[in-house]
Amino acid sequence: MVDGLVRIKPLVKSVADMGMPAVALTDVTNLFSLVKFYKAAQGAGLKPICGADFQVQSQVTDGTPYWITLLATNQKGYHNLTQLISRAYQEGQVQGKPFLQRLWVNELSEGLIVLCGRQSDVGQLLVSGKPELAADLLKEWAQHFADHFYFELTRTGRLGEEDFIHAAVKLATSSDCPVVATNDVRFIDAEQFEAHEARVCIGEGRVLDDPRRERRYSEQQYLRSPAEMAELFSDIPEALENTIEIARRCNLDLKLGEYFLPEYPIPEGMTTDSFFEKMSYEGLEERLEIILDNSAADYSEQKQVYLDRLRFELDIIIQMGFPGYFLIVMDFIRWAKENDIPVGPGRGSGAGSVVAYALKITDLDPLEYDLLFERFLNPERVSMPDFDIDFCMDNRDRVIAYVADRYGRDAVSQIITFGTMAAKAVVRDVARVQGKSYGLADKLSKMIPPDIGMTLEKAVGQEEALKEFLDNDEEAQEIWGMALQLEGITRNVGKHAGGVVIAPTKLTDFSPLYCDEVGEGLVTQFDKDDVEQAGLVKFDFLGLRTLTIIDWAVKMVNQRRQRAAEEPMTIEAIPLDDPATYGLMQRAEGAASNLSDSTRAARTPKALTGCPSHPLET
């Protein structure tokens, strides 16, 4: 998100086409793209190498922070890398930037290879003409990394590179330290350099022609072929040989697609399955006492229908290994209700489960409305169950806090999201960094349709006026050409609206963490799809303003009923075939009602007559 223009699929394709056996991806203090990169590389027959670039605080007072690259050689190294990244955000942020402490790196060095280049602590001393001090620092690194330390050599046409290479090779020779050639790639093709510079300027809030802007990159930072790299480092053949050696040493085997649920506390003498069955049967009995008339002649037959459906669902849930999931969801929903936090009655395919109804996860009787359980869980299509649970907007965070207290603060977090450069915004951003007029940027942006999922390519195809404008305006063409290269690039992070993960152990056993400068807003670094691939189960805690408003209304009504010495009203007891409510709908008096206040919605109810006995089917 800082300075890269590399996308995973083009990277993997290019590397494979060039005949390389392995590729490393090292983002700055994050593993945001690891799962997607790992799967894409393996799918293309490449060996993925996992790593990250870090800034480390100097051990000298007022010293300059320095850069290192860490690569995971095995599962232990990956775990240590994950912990270092998480710790940098949770404990090491300075002015919003994550830093490592050298002590942390020393403590978690097992399974990691360290690459120290021109901007490392050793590199800075070598470039500044202090080889003796550099040699002393090298000995300190060797104490913790031994044969896992390499001098990183790059040749991308940047200032100071050759001076560092000469000094590093000399020190490496005298200290028997290996060197390795790397290709510090920021874009795939050389012609993308200008687009990359624009991307950097967008992130820094500068313009391309700003004379004060630091030029940290060169047009040579494209993906070079093996032949180009061999020619570039023909004078240091061991640096090329060590690229193969590092690839050989890095053997990370990520376990993807296997789910791990936290342990729900079970009474002594019972298993998770038996406790799950017990709670389900007891819950169904409570429900049937309310919804069935036990004096009816066919009561036994009616009850047996529910018991048969319950048994059918229990067998499938137990077979698929999901009782723990249901118990966890049941627990926090019950806690919410016991603490007067409004909870939605259930929606989505989860409302088709009698087990969920019995455990009071949902409040809809699936048999009354002929809802299918198979839409929710199906043994022939194995996937995690997924309840969309609505909570009162004002109290949702209380439920998340309860879950964190119950399972451990280091085991619960929300999930990251990534914002990208969308069509309209990228046009404005590019125009600004190119120094084009605001009027031109505004005009061009407004010609792009505001439809969801709109792209620049679609816009040109749909809007003849836009195509004509681009054909006749040279400056607009410059903006458009650059915007096409940047569209879809990740630009910032956010927090998933409702997704929460609960780990059976520490979160860092599954995903690195990200948070703001003060440690708030903790989220996993893997998005909702990748975090599930990594083994964590997502629970949806959705905040719904409608529930909050209903709660206010119920409290206001009950205040009046209390003054009138009447029994308090419960929202669950309101009949779904209430004639007065359907009268409101027929009169199109749905102002401020969710999904009923639009013009089209207001016309539809006028056609309704009578009061249906099954309003959900109307």
Side-chain angles (χ1 to χ4, degrees):
M1 294 191 301
V2 178
D3 59 4
L5 205 62
V6 177
R7 304 175 203 241
I8 291 174
K9 289 183 179 178
L11 169 67
V12 167
K13 183 180 185 304
S14 297
V15 170
D17 289 346
M18 291 177 182
M20 299 188 210
V23 58
L25 183 66
T26 58
D27 284 330
V28 178
T29 328
N30 75 73
L31 296 177
F32 293 151
S33 61
L34 173 63
V35 175
K36 292 178 175 63
F37 164 68
Y38 186 88
K39 292 170 67 177
Q42 287 201 327
L46 299 172
K47 187 178 192 178
I49 298 174
C50 165
D53 296 333
F54 294 93
Q55 271 193 292
V56 185
Q57 290 283 21
S58 174
Q59 295 169 276
V60 180
T61 305
D62 297 327
T64 305
Y66 57 91
W67 289 90
I68 61 171
T69 297
L70 295 176
L71 304 176
T73 63
N74 52 33
Q75 199 68 31
K76 180 65 176 178
Y78 170 65
H79 180 65
N80 285 340
L81 186 69
T82 297
Q83 290 200 79
L84 285 170
I85 290 172
S86 304
R87 199 167 181 181
Y89 281 102
Q90 293 179 286
E91 302 176 37
Q93 291 201 57
V94 178
Q95 295 181 343
K97 292 184 178 180
F99 289 87
L100 290 181
Q101 298 291 337
R102 175 63 181 278
L103 178 62
W104 305 344
V105 180
N106 293 344
E107 291 172 346
L108 298 170
S109 61
E110 185 180 348
L112 293 173
I113 287 175
V114 61
L115 307 183
C116 284
R118 178 171 53 95
Q119 294 179 300
S120 67
D121 53 350
V122 180
Q124 290 175 6
L125 289 173
L126 288 175
V127 171
S128 59
K130 300 174 182 177
E132 294 82 8
L133 292 177
D136 292 339
L137 275 182
L138 179 57
K139 290 176 183 177
E140 291 181 23
W141 280 108
Q143 289 176 6
H144 298 279
F145 284 89
D147 61 344
H148 282 59
F149 180 97
Y150 289 80
F151 275 121
E152 180 184 9
L153 311 181
T154 61
R155 279 176 168 159
T156 58
R158 289 176 291 176
L159 188 66
E161 280 185 333
E162 287 303 318
D163 291 340
F164 168 72
I165 288 175
H166 291 306
V169 169
K170 184 177 179 180
L171 179 56
T173 303
S174 64
S175 59
D176 196 26
C177 176
V179 297
V180 63
T182 68
N183 189 13
D184 191 11
V185 176
R186 288 295 183 274
F187 36 90
I188 303 294
D189 301 313
E191 57 266 24
Q192 292 179 315
F193 174 66
E194 286 300 324
H196 172 265
E197 289 294 275
R199 190 256 202 279
V200 172
C201 287
I202 290 171
E204 295 179 347
R206 295 184 177 275
V207 296
L208 287 165
D209 293 336
D210 186 349
R212 299 166 299 174
R213 181 171 69 87
E214 183 181 2
R215 267 68 172 176
R216 300 191 300 276
Y217 309 96
S218 79
E219 58 189 17
Q220 296 181 41
Q221 289 183 264
Y222 64 93
L223 182 65
R224 295 179 186 269
S225 68
E228 288 177 283
M229 290 297 291
E231 181 180 354
L232 200 61
F233 286 93
S234 59
D235 57 331
I236 318 174
E238 62 270 28
L240 294 169
E241 294 166 4
N242 281 330
T243 63
I244 302 299
E245 175 62 16
I246 288 178
R248 185 189 64 80
R249 298 176 73 176
C250 292
N251 298 291
L252 177 61
D253 182 19
L254 284 183
K255 294 181 180 179
L256 300 178
E258 184 178 352
Y259 301 113
F260 299 90
L261 280 165
E263 289 290 332
Y264 182 82
I266 304 298
E268 190 174 348
M270 302 189 74
T271 65
T272 300
D273 291 351
S274 63
F275 181 68
F276 173 58
E277 290 183 317
K278 176 178 178 292
M279 296 297 293
S280 298
Y281 277 108
E282 289 178 357
L284 183 61
E285 287 291 339
E286 292 177 14
R287 290 290 197 185
L288 296 182
E289 287 178 8
I290 298 173
I291 64 174
L292 297 183
D293 181 3
N294 59 13
S295 63
D298 61 345
Y299 171 74
S300 296
E301 290 80 1
Q302 292 184 54
K303 180 178 180 179
Q304 192 60 44
V305 173
Y306 283 89
L307 290 174
D308 291 344
R309 172 69 172 264
L310 183 72
R311 186 69 259 172
F312 168 74
E313 292 186 14
L314 286 173
D315 289 342
I316 291 177
I317 294 167
I318 292 171
Q319 174 194 334
M320 297 180 74
F322 297 145
Y325 177 88
F326 279 78
L327 291 173
I328 291 166
V329 175
M330 173 200 74
D331 177 65
F332 63 71
I333 287 182
R334 287 191 175 186
W335 181 88
K337 291 177 177 178
E338 289 168 1
N339 286 271
D340 298 322
I341 297 173
V343 183
R347 59 186 172 93
S349 60
S353 171
V354 166
V355 170
Y357 181 58
L359 294 176
K360 298 182 177 60
I361 292 173
T362 63
D363 288 318
L364 294 170
D365 178 358
L367 295 187
E368 181 179 357
Y369 301 112
D370 297 325
L371 302 179
L372 298 176
F373 175 71
E374 290 81 358
R375 287 191 62 236
F376 181 58
L377 276 184
N378 191 329
E380 296 180 7
R381 180 177 50 84
V382 179
S383 61
M384 283 299 298
D386 186 14
F387 286 110
D388 292 324
I389 306 154
D390 296 312
F391 294 99
C392 160
M393 181 70 79
D394 291 347
N395 291 286
R396 182 188 72 126
D397 289 344
R398 286 179 58 199
V399 185
I400 296 175
Y402 163 75
V403 171
D405 289 337
R406 184 167 180 79
Y407 296 98
R409 293 279 170 178
D410 59 354
V412 177
S413 84
Q414 292 183 255
I415 302 170
I416 204 167
T417 58
F418 300 106
T420 59
M421 296 188 186
K424 283 178 170 288
V426 75
V427 163
R428 292 182 180 274
D429 285 334
V430 168
R432 179 183 61 77
V433 301
Q434 287 182 343
K436 300 293 195 297
S437 70
Y438 173 81
L440 174 60
D442 187 58
K443 180 177 181 179
L444 194 56
S445 178
K446 286 181 177 177
M447 296 178 82
I448 300 171
D451 303 347
I452 295 175
M454 179 56 61
T455 65
L456 298 176
E457 187 178 349
K458 285 182 184 177
V460 172
Q462 292 180 16
E463 300 296 317
E464 187 61 35
L466 173 60
K467 185 178 184 302
E468 184 178 339
F469 181 62
L470 289 172
D471 289 340
N472 296 305
D473 192 299
E474 191 172 317
E475 287 195 330
Q477 291 174 19
E478 291 177 6
I479 295 172
W480 201 262
M482 186 74 75
L484 282 170
Q485 297 182 67
L486 296 178
E487 185 183 21
I489 289 289
T490 301
R491 69 183 305 167
N492 56 34
V493 301
K495 185 187 296 184
H496 191 280
V500 173
V501 289
I502 308 172
T505 56
K506 293 193 302 183
L507 283 165
T508 50
D509 291 338
F510 298 88
S511 168
L513 304 177
Y514 176 94
C515 64
D516 61 26
E517 188 174 357
V518 295
E520 298 294 329
L522 189 70
V523 292
T524 60
Q525 287 199 5
F526 297 152
D527 66 21
K528 65 180 181 66
D529 297 322
D530 291 352
V531 81
E532 290 189 330
Q533 281 289 304
L536 291 176
V537 178
K538 177 173 69 72
F539 298 83
D540 286 319
F541 292 69
L542 304 171
L544 190 63
R545 178 64 62 186
T546 304
L547 285 174
T548 307
I549 295 172
I550 290 173
D551 186 47
W552 293 344
V554 169
K555 288 175 179 175
M556 291 170 64
V557 169
N558 282 337
Q559 286 176 358
R560 295 183 180 181
R561 293 176 72 90
Q562 185 178 21
R563 289 194 294 268
E566 297 176 350
E567 288 292 319
M569 178 196 75
T570 58
I571 192 71
E572 294 82 9
I574 294 178
L576 296 181
D577 57 357
D578 178 55
T581 301
Y582 276 87
L584 279 174
M585 295 175 66
Q586 285 177 310
R587 296 191 298 274
E589 296 175 358
S593 297
N594 187 34
L595 305 180
S596 301
D597 56 355
S598 66
T599 304
R600 182 176 179 182
R603 290 198 303 266
T604 305
K606 293 184 179 180
L608 297 176
T609 58
C611 183
S613 59
H614 288 78
L616 289 183
E617 298 175 356
T618 300

